[in-house]
Amino acid sequence: MGAPLLFEPFTLRGVTLPNRVVMPPMCQYRATADGEATEWHLVHYGARAVGGAGLIIIEATAVESRGRISVNDLGLWDDRHVEGLARLARFCREQGARVGIQVAHAGRKAFTAAKGRGPATPVAPSPIPYAEGWVVPAELGREELDAVVEAFRLAAVRAAAAGFDVLEVHAAHGYLLHEFLSPLANRRADEYGGSLENRLRFPLRVIEAVRRAWPEDRPLFVRISATDYLPGGIDVEEMVAMARAFKEAGADLIHVSSGGVLHADIPVGPGYQVPLAARIRAGAGVPTCAVGLITAPEQAEQVLRCGQADLVALGRELLRHPHWPLYAAHRLGADVPWPEPYRRARL
């Protein structure tokens, strides 16, 4: 079969990942009430760096305090957030990993546990609540849209100052940018709603602003939901067109997920989102990262060998097994470096 692709380096712009194993963003809900990183984050992400992940992407990090998924989300809306995140990024890099951070705005799904009832009123493209019993969000006006774009831009500046290698813009899972993209959440009658071109307009403004602020030699990812799984929502063919637009706006890789804008019956199973990553990769001509119930080393290797994606992300599996990459390398016959203090346990 040859050397495993899972442990081949992968380069985008000026950043080379030591392997293709990615830890995707997974909220920990352990930040301070002011959005600052804690010891939990250092230990949690540091363990996966020690475990051999090629790229670790820090959880959804809010660009505005009203854009948090929970009141204990990480933030990048203030300069005070930089120091704690820089410490985290520095430690992970010292273990050989590359480190990214996902910048996000929860939109109408802010303060999820309380169904939008938090320290501020959630905002959205249209005043439509996520579900019954949720707070009706405030519709964003033109000046507020400008302010949100600026918040994303400033978050990118702070992420660069913290020393991250990769920046990921969150445009999936029913959060603000996905809300603009999906007709199920966006009922605007102005130039930001209606046609595909209009629904793309605000997310593209964000991506373009972030790309200008983010260092030229560091890659930019965009996380998408490739389908809403619902009539009248986004399907994968429409998302192919959107992914092309994201690429033209400066995205170097599309991180492919699905669903989230409304409740839907999702056909979940091993690798269930991999075909979506493959369709985006082929149709938009852009590198992709596949995610979704990928658990076995052989399964991850097959995704790469079949050309379905360029990177493979493991979420729950890396929560269960922080050292999964070291185990996978042994299973696939790859010779990878081990942390010196752990060498006596090398398989």
Side-chain angles (χ1 to χ4, degrees):
M1 185 174 71
L5 289 178
L6 194 60
F7 291 95
E8 288 292 314
F10 183 72
T11 299
L12 286 171
R13 296 192 183 243
V15 174
T16 297
L17 311 183
N19 60 58
R20 313 293 183 96
V21 180
V22 177
M23 181 181 184
M26 290 177 283
C27 287
Q28 297 298 296
Y29 310 114
R30 288 296 182 271
T32 68
D34 294 326
E36 296 186 62
T38 64
E39 296 298 306
W40 175 270
H41 297 98
L42 180 64
V43 173
H44 170 67
Y45 291 110
R48 277 74 193 175
V50 169
L55 173 64
I56 294 168
I57 307 178
I58 306 306
E59 65 204 75
T61 303
V63 301
E64 288 190 331
S65 62
R66 66 179 178 178
R68 290 173 286 171
I69 300 167
S70 83
V71 292
N72 292 112
D73 274 14
L74 288 174
L76 261 177
W77 67 80
D78 193 283
D79 290 346
R80 71 174 181 273
H81 296 132
V82 172
E83 182 178 354
L85 292 170
R87 180 188 180 206
L88 191 165
R90 184 168 55 250
F91 180 84
C92 290
R93 285 177 57 85
E94 287 170 354
Q95 314 317 309
R98 297 294 174 263
V99 194
I101 189 166
Q102 184 185 73
V103 288
H105 195 300
R108 68 180 185 175
K109 291 176 76 175
F111 316 118
T112 296
K115 297 184 177 181
R117 294 168 181 85
T121 301
V123 294
S126 303
I128 305 169
Y130 169 64
E132 185 177 351
W134 282 64
V135 170
V136 177
E139 180 172 310
L140 286 161
R142 292 174 184 275
E143 291 185 1
E144 289 178 295
L145 292 175
D146 294 343
V148 173
V149 172
E150 178 66 2
F152 271 97
R153 188 191 71 81
L154 289 173
V157 171
R158 294 183 184 112
F164 288 101
D165 301 293
V166 172
L167 192 72
E168 179 169 283
V169 173
H170 200 351
H173 301 163
Y175 299 124
L176 184 64
L177 299 188
H178 184 188
E179 291 164 17
F180 271 90
L181 294 172
S182 176
L184 299 176
N186 183 350
R187 307 287 176 79
R188 296 176 75 100
D190 62 6
E191 69 270 31
Y192 292 102
S195 68
L196 172 62
E197 179 183 7
N198 284 359
R199 285 181 282 118
L200 271 167
R201 194 180 308 276
F202 182 68
L204 287 177
R205 285 186 61 192
V206 168
I207 292 167
E208 289 165 356
V210 165
R211 181 68 268 179
R212 288 193 297 270
W214 188 238
E216 182 66 24
D217 62 345
R218 302 185 209 179
L220 177 66
F221 292 8
V222 176
R223 185 76 179 265
I224 64 164
S225 283
T227 174
D228 289 334
Y229 296 107
L230 291 164
I234 298 167
D235 62 24
V236 69
E237 294 310 316
E238 186 173 49
M239 185 50 73
V240 165
M242 292 180 177
R244 287 195 199 105
F246 297 155
K247 177 185 176 183
E248 291 172 4
D252 299 294
L253 180 142
I254 304 296
H255 192 170
V256 184
S257 191
S258 62
V261 76
L262 288 174
H263 175 74
D265 292 325
I266 299 175
V268 174
Y272 71 104
Q273 294 174 144
V274 171
L276 299 173
R279 181 69 192 99
I280 297 298
R281 186 177 189 264
V286 62
T288 59
C289 179
V291 66
L293 292 186
I294 298 169
T295 58
E298 295 81 2
Q299 179 191 14
E301 178 70 9
Q302 186 72 2
V303 169
L304 300 174
R305 288 207 169 270
C306 290
Q308 294 174 294
D310 301 272
L311 302 176
V312 178
L314 298 93
R316 291 173 177 84
E317 192 65 14
L318 278 172
L319 294 182
R320 289 186 286 262
H321 303 296
H323 301 94
W324 186 93
L326 300 179
Y327 160 74
H330 173 69
R331 281 282 294 268
L332 297 174
D335 184 17
V336 301
W338 272 56
E340 190 62 34
Y342 289 3
R343 286 185 66 83
R344 73 190 72 181
R346 185 166 183 167
L347 297 168

